[in-house]
Amino acid sequence: MLSAARSDSHFAVKKEWFFRRLLSADPRQRASTMDQLREEAMAMEPSVLEAHLPSMWRLAREAPLADIRTGCRALLADIATERGLTFTPKCAPANGAEPTDEDSDVSSFFQKSEVIGIVKNDDEDLQAIFTRCFLQGGRVSHLTRMLAWHKPYLQLFRSSITSIMLNDGPLPLEWRNYIALMAAAEYRCHYVSMIHQHYFLVNGGDPSWLDGLDFVPAKLARLHSLNALLAHQPWLITSDDIADLLASDSDGSSWSISELVHAIIVMCMYHSMCSITLGLGVVDEEDLAVLSSTSNPDTYIGAINRRSSIGKMSECGSELGASPGYDVARMELEEELLRQRLAKDAEFTQSDDEDAPEGDATSTEKDDDDEDIDEEEEEEVPFEVAALPPSGRLRGLSSTAHLKGELWRYCSETFVEYVDFDVRSREYNVLHTEDFSWDEHCFSLVSRYFPGQGGHILEDLFKLTLKMTYHSYGAHATATKSNQDVEGMDTTPFRHAIWYYVHRIYGICHDDYDYKNVNIFLNRPTKQFVKKVACTPWRVTAKDIEHFNHTLTASEKCHVTLLTAEARKQAGLMYGLRAVMQHFL
């Protein structure tokens, strides 16, 4: 459970704890609490009650416990009748029927019918996971629903959050949430940032910190440069960056080594989570809003309405670069060849080897596919740096400004953006896993300075993501192959190609891997999608995930995204923890 300490003065926290009283495993306790909530709701001022309606609708539609859904629907009906207040969710059916969880806009990239439901779900194990999520955090988040395609991953994913964000550790809970918020801001991920703005307040955070880095303690603000480098160019992190943070200071802004290791883990974990969220097109829950220190119902409702209008503008594509063109016929041919290769357990002909160009992370030239990817990628969508004043960076912005502008306040003053790793650079070198690896170095460092099972859970999550398979490749293969053929399909080469390609992008070379396999198993659109998810996930569009592979099912495309994000997480941890180790050498 979240900490009972909270900033009671902020309206968002009052609203959160109003509903959090329902989070009991005892049905009788929930029934009694629902009666209390009805009595209190009917006595609220109209503006206060109106601000509670979005959360009531979410619970009435998406709570995994039937009695809470029924109670909230009855309460909404009473409020409409007796108080004349209503709320129409965006997902309301056109025929006027009562909205259900199946009507929710969970992802902007996948069809509603492809997303696993909460209410009509016959999988008892998955339903138990949903219920635990709800009782712990008050919601079954849209991200959780997207990850439900892969139950083993979802279970470990939630265990990692519990271990790193909730269990005992060097950093206070509210600091962990704020660092997660900073990590989300670097990746322009509003979904994750809004979640942790709320949890930051619920865990007792100072509301004034939500106005930006200018309002946080100097110790926390000093973390912004490391956060920016981990997000965009982790290979530039050196022992000097670590020494600066560990240096003793009279104002108490120095970090301990255990605190810094914890912070690096949190930042890398949430950079990865943002890649998953943006790569899968996860849609914000309707009762979330970008917050500030201002505390009243009117500003809360205004933030929700403003987010809704901005979201509609973004959906029109005015802020996004045009998606690249796709040669569908060529893609389908490549996908069929890949399926045949996987079915043959990666036994390739000599012509395959001759056609595949040499690919090595230490090569001084990019392969043809990488050059084409870079040429086809649209121009970077920058932050509106020039339009922002030096302090209070959000003041004066139009309410129709793109949502990413609202996260500027949590970002580094020094703008850092992603650039390709340059193997010819004289400032940094390729990281060979023979010299430094997760297994041999990072895992032991995490286990030494971070208490509990966090290191083991991260290790298990990496291994599970890389090894997880259903012995099939695509809906077409499942529909046309016999069960024996499907069960015999080995997708290991495809999964490894994604993992090692991401590491290659970040300048990490696995000397025991044949990089020719990357070009054999990943076509150009797949490489482009993987690179976007790993490096610039805010640029991923629905067309990217639709067209990078026409064969894979929705759950398999989710697995590709998970492979990419976990490989990216491991790369960030390797660079960050290597700098920590170098500091002591």
Side-chain angles (χ1 to χ4, degrees), residues 7 52 78 97 101 147 196 217 229 348 390 408-409 426 449 457 495 535 539 543:
S7 303
H52 284 72
D78 291 343
D101 66 304
L147 298 181
H196 282 279
L229 288 175
F348 311 115
W408 245 116
R409 47 186 152 175
R426 296 182 179 181
Y449 289 106
I457 293 174
R495 287 179 274 117
C535 306
R539 295 170 55 196
K543 286 187 176 181

Side-chain angles (χ1 to χ4, degrees), residues 433-477:
T433 55
E434 284 188 347
D435 302 324
F436 188 87
S437 68
W438 167 264
D439 294 331
E440 297 295 328
H441 304 89
C442 298
F443 177 74
S444 60
L445 185 66
V446 171
S447 299
R448 178 179 179 183
Y449 289 106
F450 187 75
Q453 297 298 310
H456 292 281
I457 293 174
L458 287 172
E459 171 81 359
D460 292 343
L461 197 54
F462 292 146
K463 289 181 177 179
L464 172 70
T465 309
L466 189 55
K467 294 181 179 180
M468 185 169 62
T469 181
Y470 303 97
H471 303 289
S472 63
Y473 182 88
H476 176 72

Side-chain angles (χ1 to χ4, degrees), residues 255-266:
W255 288 74
S256 70
I257 186 64
S258 58
E259 289 174 333
L260 189 54
V261 168
H262 193 177
I264 289 173
I265 294 172
V266 172

Side-chain angles (χ1 to χ4, degrees), residues 315-476:
E315 290 170 3
C316 297
S318 60
E319 297 288 338
L320 299 173
S323 294
Y326 295 94
D327 186 340
V328 176
R330 177 182 174 183
M331 287 173 57
E332 291 177 347
L333 176 61
E334 290 173 344
E335 290 161 10
E336 178 60 30
L337 291 174
L338 174 56
R339 188 163 50 248
Q340 293 174 8
R341 288 167 176 167
L342 293 173
K344 293 179 181 179
D345 196 23
E347 294 180 0
F348 311 115
T349 63
Q350 180 64 29
S351 61
D352 287 329
D353 291 335
E354 292 174 352
D355 291 340
E358 291 288 337
D360 188 277
T362 59
S363 171
T364 58
E365 295 182 0
K366 295 181 180 179
D367 59 44
D368 292 339
D369 280 348
D370 282 344
E371 289 180 346
D372 290 338
I373 290 172
D374 292 338
E375 291 173 359
E376 291 182 4
E377 286 182 348
E378 61 268 23
E379 291 185 1
E380 186 75 29
V381 181
F383 282 140
E384 295 87 347
V385 179
L388 298 174
S391 63
R393 286 179 286 248
L394 290 179
R395 296 168 190 162
L397 281 180
S398 167
S399 62
T400 59
H402 193 279
L403 258 176
K404 66 175 178 285
E406 297 199 37
L407 300 184
W408 245 116
R409 47 186 152 175
Y410 309 115
C411 293
S412 170
E413 290 281 359
T414 304
F415 180 60
V416 179
E417 61 181 347
Y418 171 78
V419 296
D420 286 336
F421 183 94
D422 184 2
V423 296
R424 293 164 291 188
S425 174
R426 296 182 179 181
E427 299 179 10
Y428 51 83
N429 299 312
V430 170
L431 176 57
H432 290 268
T433 55
E434 284 188 347
D435 302 324
F436 188 87
S437 68
W438 167 264
D439 294 331
E440 297 295 328
H441 304 89
C442 298
F443 177 74
S444 60
L445 185 66
V446 171
S447 299
R448 178 179 179 183
Y449 289 106
F450 187 75
Q453 297 298 310
H456 292 281
I457 293 174
L458 287 172
E459 171 81 359
D460 292 343
L461 197 54
F462 292 146
K463 289 181 177 179
L464 172 70
T465 309
L466 189 55
K467 294 181 179 180
M468 185 169 62
T469 181
Y470 303 97
H471 303 289
S472 63
Y473 182 88
H476 176 72

